[in-house]
Amino acid sequence: MTTRWGITIPLEGVPLPDQRSVIEQMPDLGYTDVWSAEANGTDAFTPLALASVWAPGLRLGTAIVPVYTRGPATLAMSAATMAAAAPGRFALGIGTSSNVIVERWNSIPFDEPYKKVRDTVRFLRTALTGQKVTADYDTFSVGGFTLGAVPEQAPPLLVAALRPGMLKLAGREGDGAVVNWLSAEDVRTVTPYVRASGEDKEVVARIFVIPDTDAETARGIGRWAVSAYLNVPVYRAFHEWLGREELTPMWRKWDEGDRKGALAAIPDSVVDDLIVHGPAEYCRERVRAYADNGVTTPVIAPIGQSSADPAAVVRALAPRG
């Protein structure tokens, strides 16, 4: 059983400055980690910086920062600053993100994602030690960059990964992988690729959870989430690789432009596999199933809780609940 138990911050429905009292309580409730994300809400680093002060015992991680939306030097500086603010307690998770976030929202070509992540890992490995970097990588070049504020301890580098190529890269050149949108049973499929390079490789899983909500409501929320994410090309390819043929009718409807039909075509069984929902005690058991199957750090991501009390959700999903 995992000794780690994480949750995603910032919490939904609460202004960032008002989350202090909830985050301060997390270590006493059994949480060991808080992990941020970066898409269209807060940036990845500011919530962690606040949490590093509010709850100094928590480990902090990004899951994830896109490699396209910050230049290599800027990413190195951001990571080094967090590592210095929380010595030994910060892990940097990076990844491709998606074509929607990179191309549509940031007007950056989503080219050669595998190489872009690989090159960024290699650059960061060197840059975070304070060595001068002058190198021509396949996807970018760096000429004479030296990090001016080198952290005492470089953070672990984790790679967001879905299919075998990136999963192997996460284990071979990273310190582990960040995975999401998979069932507890899918963990057994993906983790061997990461740990082919070492059994000590970390696997962080973001797990979407809807606690203490009736099944019909939870499945309705879950269908919207599945529809929004699993029609994005990178996630569709992931689930095709996993063999989730039950989603074929949804993909067909989506390709035809029938959004309502795509939503209706998502089976309950897929929602139940990918979204943990039910009484809080059952939700905690399902999160532990991810750990039992090979996840090192389960990171709960409550969704659809905008009308709920975030503090109550945090307490309900705590391992000591």
Side-chain angles (χ1 to χ4, degrees), residues 122-294:
R122 291 176 178 177
F123 164 76
L124 290 170
R125 281 282 186 220
T126 304
L128 289 170
T129 67
Q131 297 180 58
K132 185 176 182 179
V133 181
T134 297
D136 291 320
Y137 302 94
D138 284 350
T139 56
F140 59 85
S141 296
V142 176
F145 172 74
T146 303
L147 185 64
V150 181
E152 291 184 9
Q153 184 174 340
L157 302 179
L158 305 173
V159 172
L162 297 174
R163 289 179 291 162
M166 203 72 85
L167 290 164
K168 291 176 183 177
L169 176 68
R172 186 176 64 250
E173 301 204 29
D175 296 300
V178 179
V179 297
N180 73 342
W181 279 110
L182 76 173
S183 70
E185 290 68 34
D186 293 333
V187 171
R188 296 184 185 276
T189 300
V190 303
T191 53
Y193 291 97
V194 182
R195 297 204 170 110
S197 297
E199 289 298 319
D200 61 338
K201 298 294 181 176
E202 183 167 13
V203 177
V204 177
R206 295 188 70 231
I207 304 166
F208 299 100
V209 183
I210 308 172
D212 295 328
T213 302
D214 67 90
E216 182 178 359
T217 300
R219 285 172 178 154
I221 296 168
R223 275 192 181 82
W224 279 105
V226 168
S227 176
Y229 276 88
L230 302 194
N231 285 295
V232 173
V234 292
Y235 287 109
R236 175 172 176 169
F238 176 47
H239 284 272
E240 288 174 333
W241 172 67
L242 288 172
R244 195 154 273 119
E245 296 178 356
E246 313 97 288
L247 287 174
T248 300
M250 179 194 74
W251 291 323
R252 185 181 301 116
K253 292 289 186 182
W254 189 272
D255 291 343
E256 294 169 354
D258 183 358
R259 300 297 188 256
K260 290 184 179 179
L263 193 68
I266 302 169
D268 286 349
S269 59
V270 170
V271 178
D272 295 347
D273 278 349
L274 302 179
I275 309 286
V276 174
H277 64 90
E281 182 178 357
Y282 172 78
C283 289
R284 292 194 298 271
E285 290 175 359
R286 290 303 297 159
V287 170
R288 290 190 179 97
Y290 282 80
D292 291 343
N293 288 346

Side-chain angles (χ1 to χ4, degrees), residues 282-315:
Y282 172 78
C283 289
R284 292 194 298 271
E285 290 175 359
R286 290 303 297 159
V287 170
R288 290 190 179 97
Y290 282 80
D292 291 343
N293 288 346
V295 166
T296 314
T297 306
V299 178
I300 293 166
I303 61 171
Q305 300 290 300
S306 57
S307 62
D309 174 9
V313 172
V314 168
R315 288 194 297 271

Side-chain angles (χ1 to χ4, degrees), residues 65-150:
V65 176
V67 295
Y68 290 94
T69 52
R70 283 180 175 82
T74 302
L75 180 55
M77 288 185 288
S78 298
T81 303
M82 273 305 312
R89 295 191 293 116
F90 172 62
L92 178 65
I94 61 172
T96 63
S97 188
S98 70
N99 64 313
V100 173
I101 292 171
V102 175
E103 289 186 331
R104 295 188 195 175
W105 298 354
N106 287 284
S107 192
I108 298 169
F110 192 67
D111 294 338
E112 299 188 287
Y114 175 87
K115 289 183 178 180
K116 182 73 170 180
V117 172
R118 182 202 62 196
D119 293 348
T120 302
V121 170
R122 291 176 178 177
F123 164 76
L124 290 170
R125 281 282 186 220
T126 304
L128 289 170
T129 67
Q131 297 180 58
K132 185 176 182 179
V133 181
T134 297
D136 291 320
Y137 302 94
D138 284 350
T139 56
F140 59 85
S141 296
V142 176
F145 172 74
T146 303
L147 185 64
V150 181

